[in-house]
Amino acid sequence: GQNIDQPTEMTATEGAIVQINCTYQTSGFNGLFWYQQHAGEAPTFLSYNVLDGLEEKGRFSSFLSRSKGYSYLLLKELQMKDSASYLCAAVTMGAGKSTFGDGTTLTVKP
Amino acid sequence: DSGVTQTPKHLITATGQRVTLRCSPRSGDLSVYWYQQSLDQGLQFLIQYYNGEERAKGNILERFSAQQFPDLHSELNLSSLELGDSALYFCASSPLAGAGGDTQYFGPGTRLTVL
């Protein structure tokens, strides 16, 4: 079966760095997505990792370790607008089926 | 704006009824995905269509069905509605069949309320 785990909630301070972890157990794993979702809105794409290592995109970076079934999303120089839910999703090889975690609600405080 | 459109934005109906949700993918995208997001369950993959054919199936109930038309728009039909079907229904589209880094672009969602 498919299983995705991420913390339910996190709190951080404006200007700080936060790391949101995601562990997964999936068969036929192909890659891992991170999405940002503000309350009541659609998820928006942040990153996709298929190879091990760190991918950096501005203030956001995402890391993957396939052997450990582990990924994290790193957010730097936090801004108030980064308060949102962050969803990790494991993609099954050869198909579009994505299994989403329940999301981590990040609250950024002044 | 992702380029994916969904109608209607809100839908209120009664138990036992049937509704149809509509999705138009981004121009050129061949895959359409349907997701259900309820407060207590997170984002659940329902079904994927690629170029008119069913490609992948998730936790879709037998009371629910979907199709993708030749112009690539898709409809999700929900019948014999129950209170528990109240949720946000998202449609997403991607350029290809969904393998690899085929990014999914989400529409704004349809909020279904079953009374």
Side-chain angles (χ1 to χ4, degrees):
Chain A
Q2 322 278 23
N3 193 35
I4 314 285
D5 285 311
Q6 50 181 134
T8 305
E9 293 179 336
M10 297 184 73
T11 303
T13 305
E14 195 175 12
I17 299 173
V18 71
Q19 178 175 312
I20 303 174
N21 296 324
C22 172
T23 58
Y24 61 89
Q25 292 174 312
T26 63
S27 52
F29 176 80
N30 192 42
L32 193 125
F33 281 106
W34 282 97
Y35 287 87
Q36 179 191 62
Q37 186 178 25
H38 286 98
E41 297 182 10
T44 55
F45 169 81
L46 290 178
S47 66
Y48 178 72
N49 292 69
V50 62
L51 300 175
D52 285 358
L54 184 69
E55 299 220 356
E56 298 186 68
K57 258 189 204 179
R59 294 190 300 114
F60 292 7
S61 303
S62 56
F63 171 85
L64 177 68
S65 167
R66 295 177 73 113
S67 61
K68 293 181 181 176
Y70 167 68
S71 174
Y72 67 73
L73 180 70
L74 193 71
L75 294 79
K76 302 176 188 172
E77 300 168 19
L78 281 172
Q79 301 174 10
M80 300 299 289
K81 67 178 182 179
D82 297 330
S83 292
S85 182
Y86 291 85
L87 309 171
C88 68
V91 181
T92 303
M93 194 173 296
K97 184 175 178 179
S98 296
T99 302
F100 280 78
D102 289 340
T104 298
T105 301
L106 173 67
T107 303
V108 180
K109 295 187 173 178
Chain B
D1 184 358
S2 67
V4 179
T5 59
Q6 288 186 248
T7 55
K9 193 166 184 176
H10 298 279
L11 197 50
I12 301 174
T13 188
T15 55
Q17 295 298 304
R18 171 190 167 95
V19 296
T20 297
L21 313 184
R22 184 189 166 102
C23 169
S24 292
R26 293 187 327 150
S27 177
D29 283 0
L30 297 177
S31 278
V32 169
Y33 310 77
W34 286 98
Y35 293 89
Q36 179 192 57
Q37 188 173 42
S38 52
L39 282 174
D40 59 346
Q41 278 213 324
L43 203 61
Q44 300 288 320
F45 169 75
L46 295 178
I47 197 163
Q48 176 203 2
Y49 279 83
Y50 170 68
N51 206 21
E53 302 281 329
E54 184 184 303
R55 174 85 176 177
K57 212 166 186 174
N59 302 321
I60 187 165
L61 300 172
E62 284 189 14
R63 299 184 286 110
F64 296 1
S65 64
Q67 53 184 327
Q68 186 180 29
F69 295 88
D71 67 351
L72 300 176
H73 91 270
S74 178
E75 292 181 354
L76 179 67
N77 301 295
L78 314 176
S79 61
S80 303
L81 283 168
E82 301 175 359
L83 294 177
D85 297 328
S86 295
L88 255 177
Y89 290 83
F90 286 107
C91 164
S93 74
S94 69
L96 301 172
D102 200 22
T103 301
Q104 295 180 29
Y105 298 89
F106 282 75
T110 293
R111 182 171 293 283
L112 173 66
T113 302
V114 182
L115 301 175

